[in-house]
């Protein structure tokens, strides 16, 4: 046996003692032979990648066919080894898996192309879910070795991982994969935010771990006394999930991190509820924080009891109570069907068929068939991946899962497309409600439908429906039933936008320009473009702008930027250069001003520009405005630094931090402690809980700036601070 395969075989034997190791070794030998002359970006032999992917899948417990397909997944795409040869050597099932993974890799990524790739992923999944499991493992190993890729590739792949692959892993219940993908992508996309959270976690870890151990011992003792056999442990904290909670719950790091998470694993469902009762008898539960995902599992088969209690020292403790089988499913998702025998019986394809019964996968396949626009498909997918769920009942007691904030219209389309189209009213818990009402957990919903043959959805419904299915069905109905109307409306909207700008209507709306634009926007003809505008998929103004750009653009006026320069100090008109600290070559007595657009300080390379009646304005040589000023070379003059004791210079710094209470006061106090005279400040907090503060202040000695920046960097939550030069 090849010694390279020993670690892989050891993992395989642990989960599948009867595996065909000779088949796996044959797949490895074939892959190694065909990849023999190829290298990874890291310089390692290429075969290390398929072997690493197979090792990840072996840890998940996947079957022989999946491991063989993982070892061979790049051969058809990257070597001379053809699919027909592979089929002859390894059989139809492995060939089908390799072909599915190859199809996902073939499409080049752009916005629409990315959506098209996800669409192909869904088609491949419909044949065999294992295709997606291989793809997720492939992406995980690529993310682990992403540091060898160029910067733009790292950014693109990391964004794709956060937006598409990590949520897909979550939806398939594969949390171990999801968490690692998220943390790797987070570190790659936002390294400074990641490092700041890691630093704050490490600072608080010892104190928190002591409290956590105390809670675990108390919970274990209570359950032992109640004769419940249980394993109690702390829940791991993942950096990206901490950051996401800070954004979603709009709270500071300490409030999230100090929340203690405990996981209780028991043998039976009955023990889950018994453990819950024991814990609630010991500690007071927090109202509204109990969720029963055992009776009502999530879309991805996740089952658990969630509760929050007030623990020792008045601190809140989050508990998850589940059986060991439920825990395996929560960690490995669809892969648990291979890893744990009690979950399912039968061969690989039969298991894949069983997994395909998951409601979410069926819904994805519906979208795949219904949605013609790949961008719209991706938008629906992203939306569905990102929202929480509510569970409501039909009048007959059937449970239907909907996105949080869903309305009776979403419910109607979830029941049946025709019920949605003909919906005219709803009754929730026996009371009539408006169609835009939000549904809550446990509501019983009854839909009233119209018998009129002309019944159909309202365009206004698109403003409040939450589910991708409802949105797609409504748009689809309007696309089919109202295409001509939409074409006319779109044509009129584009004409109106052109008239508003005083553009030549006839010239722009005829000829090849509009057809070329339609094709650029991926519409087959001009009518399809008009229809898209009429249905609100594309803004008329956007079409007109693109049309104008394609024909050469509209000339704009230019501004004389040199006049934007202002004096550093405004207390009377100074004589000579004492305040500015700059000497003009050949004329020591001319009035000099430091321009405000780039705020030069001693040490910067500078150039002077003679303004009309306002002396010489001094710019940094790499100031964006210098390029335009260079057109008037006769007005450029040589200048040099000559700072005096009373010279003052304007400096602007930008502080980027994870938002928290009292952040601004801590920053301003630190600046004040370093004797900085703040002239202006601005603060903006984005939706992702990043506070960006800009401070402009006067400084006599620019060397002092380094000490100021270093001091601000030590403030909790601050992950970046730097001088702004334009």
């Amino acid at each position: 046996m090849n010694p390279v395969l020993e670690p892989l075989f050891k993992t395989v034997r642990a989960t599948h003692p009867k595996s065909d190791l000779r088949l796996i070794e044959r797949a490895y030998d074939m892959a190694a032979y065909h990849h023999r002359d190829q290298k990874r970006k890291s310089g390692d032999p290429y075969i290390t990648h398929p072997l690493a992917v197979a090792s990840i899948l072996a840890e998940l417990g996947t079957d022989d066919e999946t491991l063989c397909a993982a070892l061979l997944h790049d051969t058809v795409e990257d070597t001379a080894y053809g699919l027909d040869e592979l089929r002859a050597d390894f059989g139809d099932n492995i060939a089908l898996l390799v072909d599915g993974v190859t199809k996902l890799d073939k499409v080049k990524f752009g916005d629409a192309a990315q959506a098209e790739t996800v669409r192909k992923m869904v088609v491949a999944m419909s044949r065999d879910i294992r295709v997606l499991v291989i793809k997720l493992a492939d992406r995980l190993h690529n993310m682990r070795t992403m540091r060898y890729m160029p910067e733009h590739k790292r950014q693109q792949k990391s964004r794709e991982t956060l937006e598409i692959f990590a949520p897909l892993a979550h939806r398939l219940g594969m949390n171990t994969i999801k968490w690692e993908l998220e943390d790797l992508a987070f570190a790659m996309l936002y390294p400074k935010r990641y490092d700041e959270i890691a630093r704050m976690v490490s600072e608080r870890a010892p104190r928190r771990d002591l409290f956590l151990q105390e809670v675990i011992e108390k919970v274990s003792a209570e359950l032992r006394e109640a004769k419940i056999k249980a394993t109690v442990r702390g829940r791991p904290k993942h950096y990206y999930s901490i950051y996401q909670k800070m954004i979603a719950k709009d709270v500071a790091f300490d409030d999230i991190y100090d929340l203690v998470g405990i996981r209780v694993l028991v043998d039976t469902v009955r023990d889950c509820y018994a453990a819950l009762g024991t814990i609630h008898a010991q500690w007071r539960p927090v109202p509204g924080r109990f969720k029963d995902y055992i009776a009502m599992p999530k879309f991805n088969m996740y089952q658990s009891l969630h509760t929050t209690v007030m623990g020792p020292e008045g601190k809140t403790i989050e508990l998850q109570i589940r059986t060991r089988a439920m825990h395996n499913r929560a960690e490995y998702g669809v892969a648990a069907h291979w890893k744990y025998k009690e979950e399912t019986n039968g061969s690989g394809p039969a298991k894949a068929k069983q997994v395909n019964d998951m409601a979410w996968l069926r819904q994805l396949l519906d979208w795949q068939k219904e949605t013609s626009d790949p961008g719209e498909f991706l938008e629906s997918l992203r939306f569905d991946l990102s929202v929480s769920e509510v569970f409501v009942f039909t009048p007959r007691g059937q449970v239907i899962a909907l996105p949080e904030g869903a309305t009776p219209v979403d419910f109607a389309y979830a029941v049946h497309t025709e019920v949605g189209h003909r919906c005219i009213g709803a009754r929730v818990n026996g009371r009539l409600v408006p169609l835009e009402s939000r549904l809550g957990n446990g509501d019983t919903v009854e839909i009233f439908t119209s018998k009129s043959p002309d019944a159909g959805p309202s365009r206004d419904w698109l403003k409040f429906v939450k589910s991708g299915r409802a949105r797609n069905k409504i748009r689809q109905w309007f696309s089919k039933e109202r295409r001509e109307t939409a074409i006319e409306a779109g044509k009129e909207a584009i004409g109106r936008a052109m008239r508003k700008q005083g553009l030549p209507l006839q010239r722009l709306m005829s000829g090849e320009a509009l057809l070329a634009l339609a094709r650029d926007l991926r519409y087959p003809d001009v009518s399809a473009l008009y229809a898209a505008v009429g249905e609100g998929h594309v803004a008329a103004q956007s079409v007109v702008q693109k049309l104008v750009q394609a024909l050469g653009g509209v000339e704009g006026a230019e501004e004389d930027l040199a006049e934007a320069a202002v004096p550093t100090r405004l207390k009377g008109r100074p004589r000579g250069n004492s305040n500015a600290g700059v000497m003009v070559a050949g004329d020591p007595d001319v009035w000099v001003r430091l321009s405000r657009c780039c705020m030069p300080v001693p040490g910067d390379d500078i150039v002077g520009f003679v303004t009309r009646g306002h002396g010489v304005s001094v710019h940094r040589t790499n100031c964006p405005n210098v390029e335009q000023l260079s057109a008037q070379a006769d007005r450029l003059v040589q200048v040099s630094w000559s700072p005096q004791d009373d010279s003052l210079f304007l400096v602007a710094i930008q502080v980027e931090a994870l938002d928290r209470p009292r952040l601004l006061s801590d920053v301003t106090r630190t600046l004040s402690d370093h004797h900085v005279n703040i002239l202006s400040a601005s603060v903006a907090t984005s939706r992702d809980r990043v506070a960006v503060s800009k401070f402009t202040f006067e400084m006599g000695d620019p060397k002092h700036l380094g000490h100021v920046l270093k001091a601000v960097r030590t403030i909790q939550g601050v992950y970046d601070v730097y001088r702004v030069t334009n």
Side-chain angles (χ1 to χ4, degrees):
M1 186 185 68
N2 191 329
V4 172
L5 295 175
E6 184 51 45
L8 175 64
F9 286 172
K10 187 178 178 183
T11 310
V12 173
R13 284 191 207 101
T15 47
H16 298 294
K18 295 180 181 176
S19 287
D20 186 352
L21 300 182
R22 283 173 302 178
L23 178 68
I24 298 171
E25 185 169 15
R26 193 155 61 84
Y28 173 81
D29 290 341
M30 187 65 74
Y33 173 76
H34 285 288
H35 288 302
R36 64 190 181 280
D37 298 325
Q38 296 174 336
K39 298 275 190 189
R40 299 270 288 166
K41 292 279 187 189
S42 60
D44 295 331
Y46 193 89
I47 189 61
T48 57
H49 170 64
L51 183 59
V53 173
S55 300
I56 291 168
L57 292 168
E59 287 165 14
L60 293 173
T62 53
D63 56 8
D64 307 349
E65 289 178 347
T66 311
L67 295 176
C68 290
L71 288 165
L72 295 162
H73 79 272
D74 278 334
T75 52
V76 173
E77 186 178 0
D78 295 341
T79 74
Y81 191 48
L83 191 63
D84 292 337
E85 291 175 83
L86 190 147
R87 188 177 287 108
D89 290 339
F90 294 96
D92 288 341
N93 283 348
I94 292 173
L96 188 72
L97 293 176
V98 172
D99 186 41
V101 177
T102 303
K103 279 178 179 166
L104 299 187
D105 288 337
K106 269 187 178 171
V107 179
K108 299 297 177 193
F109 286 103
D111 284 343
Q114 188 180 69
E116 199 60 50
T117 304
V118 179
R119 184 194 293 269
K120 292 190 178 198
M121 190 180 291
V122 175
V123 175
M125 278 164 44
S126 67
R127 297 197 185 110
D128 197 324
I129 191 73
R130 294 176 294 175
V131 169
L132 182 55
V133 176
I134 295 169
K135 184 63 190 168
L136 287 171
D138 174 56
R139 176 51 63 106
L140 178 57
H141 183 250
N142 281 333
M143 287 303 296
R144 285 175 179 173
T145 55
M146 192 60 70
R147 63 186 178 279
Y148 298 109
M149 299 293 284
E151 177 64 22
H152 73 281
K153 275 279 186 193
R154 291 206 298 263
Q155 293 285 316
Q156 178 198 355
K157 296 290 183 188
S158 300
R159 202 168 300 285
E160 216 172 83
T161 298
L162 273 188
E163 291 184 356
I164 302 293
F165 290 99
L168 278 171
H170 171 63
R171 276 297 166 135
L172 296 175
M174 301 168 71
N175 285 323
T176 50
I177 300 281
K178 172 209 166 197
W179 287 323
E180 190 176 351
L181 283 174
E182 284 180 340
D183 277 356
L184 288 168
F186 181 39
M188 207 71 72
L189 277 176
Y190 307 107
K192 290 175 179 173
R193 298 181 202 182
Y194 179 91
D195 290 344
E196 182 60 23
I197 288 178
R199 184 178 70 84
M200 293 193 291
V201 166
S202 63
E203 281 177 359
R204 290 159 180 72
R207 177 169 41 96
R208 183 180 179 278
D209 288 348
L210 284 173
F211 179 73
L212 187 63
Q213 199 52 46
E214 179 192 340
V215 172
I216 289 172
E217 286 169 8
K218 285 188 177 178
V219 172
S220 299
E222 288 294 324
L223 295 175
R224 265 197 311 274
E225 196 175 315
K227 304 282 192 295
I228 299 169
K229 186 182 172 188
T231 304
V232 184
R233 52 188 180 223
R235 227 163 63 232
K237 289 282 184 180
H238 300 279
Y239 297 151
Y240 186 69
S241 65
I242 290 173
Y243 182 54
Q244 285 297 95
K245 282 183 179 176
M246 287 169 64
I247 296 169
K249 297 186 178 179
D250 197 28
V251 292
F253 170 83
D254 283 339
D255 296 330
I256 294 290
Y257 189 70
D258 287 345
L259 202 62
V260 173
I262 299 289
R263 188 170 287 144
V264 179
L265 304 183
V266 294
D267 291 332
T268 66
V269 171
R270 180 174 292 186
D271 285 347
C272 289
Y273 291 100
L276 178 74
T278 303
I279 290 163
H280 278 187
Q282 171 69 17
W283 288 316
R284 187 162 52 83
V286 177
R289 295 295 299 274
F290 170 66
K291 290 187 175 70
D292 186 344
Y293 292 121
I294 293 179
M296 291 184 178
K298 288 187 177 183
F299 256 39
N300 59 8
M301 306 178 297
Y302 176 89
Q303 288 184 288
S304 194
L305 295 177
H306 288 196
T307 187
T308 303
V309 298
M310 296 301 291
E313 302 173 23
K315 289 187 177 178
T316 50
I317 303 167
E318 286 183 343
L319 292 111
Q320 295 174 347
I321 306 168
R322 58 177 75 146
T323 67
R324 287 170 175 81
M326 289 172 191
H327 179 63
N328 295 333
R329 204 181 302 127
E331 293 291 295
Y332 300 105
V334 294
H337 285 254
W338 295 290
K339 189 163 188 173
Y340 297 95
K341 297 292 185 186
E342 73 270 18
E343 299 293 344
T344 180
N345 298 309
S347 62
K351 293 172 190 172
K353 184 180 183 309
Q354 182 176 357
V355 175
N356 269 337
D357 288 338
M358 289 164 61
W360 181 70
L361 292 183
R362 286 203 310 276
Q363 182 177 312
L364 272 185
L365 291 173
D366 286 345
W367 289 352
Q368 151 67 22
K369 291 167 192 164
E370 293 162 7
T371 312
S372 56
D373 175 28
E376 184 181 312
F377 175 79
L378 184 61
E379 181 196 336
S380 300
L381 175 66
R382 278 183 184 149
F383 184 85
D384 189 71
L385 291 172
S386 64
V387 296
S388 305
E389 291 162 346
V390 293
F391 299 93
V392 296
F393 295 99
T394 66
R396 293 184 180 178
Q398 180 192 349
V399 178
I400 290 184
L402 294 169
E404 192 173 27
T407 64
V409 175
D410 294 289
F411 174 88
Y413 278 104
V415 172
H416 195 277
T417 302
E418 280 305 309
V419 175
H421 286 344
R422 296 180 173 278
C423 171
I424 54 171
R427 187 182 280 151
V428 176
N429 301 328
R431 300 179 62 182
L432 289 169
V433 297
L435 287 178
E436 63 268 25
S437 305
R438 291 178 60 150
L439 299 176
N441 274 316
D443 284 347
T444 299
V445 187
E446 184 182 352
I447 298 295
F448 302 118
T449 56
S450 168
K451 291 186 170 53
S452 166
D454 297 327
S458 163
R459 199 179 290 276
D460 289 339
W461 291 358
L462 289 170
K463 295 175 184 174
F464 58 75
V465 291
K466 292 292 182 185
S467 64
R469 177 183 173 83
R471 190 178 295 104
N472 285 335
K473 293 287 187 184
I474 295 165
R475 284 177 178 163
Q476 189 183 15
W477 189 88
F478 279 108
S479 296
K480 283 182 179 174
E481 304 289 324
R482 301 287 185 271
R483 183 170 171 81
E484 288 303 318
T485 310
I487 289 172
E488 285 305 313
K491 200 170 186 177
E492 191 179 322
I494 291 173
R496 204 164 44 241
M498 286 182 180
R499 282 194 295 273
K500 195 172 180 182
Q501 292 189 35
L503 296 169
L505 194 65
Q506 196 163 357
R507 183 173 146 255
L508 288 179
M509 290 189 76
S510 59
E512 292 296 314
L514 204 54
L515 179 60
L517 178 60
R519 285 179 180 157
D520 284 348
L521 295 173
R522 298 180 184 274
Y523 294 107
D525 52 34
V526 175
S527 294
L529 176 61
Y530 287 151
V533 173
E535 288 167 4
H537 296 169
V538 181
Q541 187 60 40
S542 168
V543 171
V544 173
Q545 282 176 352
K546 285 184 170 67
L547 203 53
V548 169
Q549 285 167 10
L551 293 170
V554 178
E555 290 182 2
E558 291 184 359
E559 189 178 351
D560 183 3
L561 291 159
E563 300 304 322
V566 296
T568 305
R569 301 191 75 191
L570 302 175
K571 296 179 181 176
R573 179 164 172 150
R575 293 296 304 157
N577 300 299
S578 60
N579 278 355
V582 173
M583 185 78 71
V584 178
D587 193 350
D589 200 37
V590 73
W591 184 27
V592 176
R593 302 177 304 161
L594 301 179
S595 78
R596 196 151 193 165
C597 57
C598 57
M599 289 183 279
V601 297
D604 294 339
D605 292 331
I606 51 175
V607 65
F609 183 80
V610 180
T611 63
R612 295 188 180 93
H614 295 284
V616 172
S617 68
V618 177
H619 296 257
R620 294 168 67 246
T621 52
N622 59 353
C623 172
N625 293 336
V626 167
E627 190 178 334
Q628 296 180 40
L629 301 177
S630 300
Q632 304 175 59
D634 57 319
R635 291 169 67 183
L636 292 176
V637 292
Q638 274 194 330
V639 289
S640 58
W641 289 111
S642 178
Q644 308 296 320
D645 291 342
D646 63 343
S647 295
L648 285 174
F649 306 97
L650 274 186
V651 176
I653 64 168
Q654 180 156 310
V655 180
E656 294 174 10
L658 301 172
D659 194 24
R660 63 173 175 83
R662 298 183 300 281
L663 173 68
L664 182 60
S665 70
D666 286 353
V667 175
T668 51
R669 188 176 67 249
T670 301
L671 292 175
S672 174
D673 290 347
H674 281 74
H675 312 292
V676 166
N677 178 28
I678 299 172
L679 299 178
S680 68
S682 66
V683 183
T685 303
S686 60
R687 288 176 63 186
D688 55 0
R689 283 198 68 81
V690 171
V692 178
S693 315
K694 290 184 180 175
F695 299 92
T696 304
F697 48 84
E698 290 179 323
M699 187 169 281
D701 182 2
K703 292 176 187 172
H704 185 47
L705 181 62
H707 300 293
V708 173
L709 296 179
K710 191 175 179 183
V712 173
R713 178 64 189 83
T714 61
I715 297 170
Q716 182 192 310
V718 173
Y719 62 80
D720 206 4
V721 55
Y722 50 89
R723 178 186 164 206
V724 179
T725 55
N726 53 45

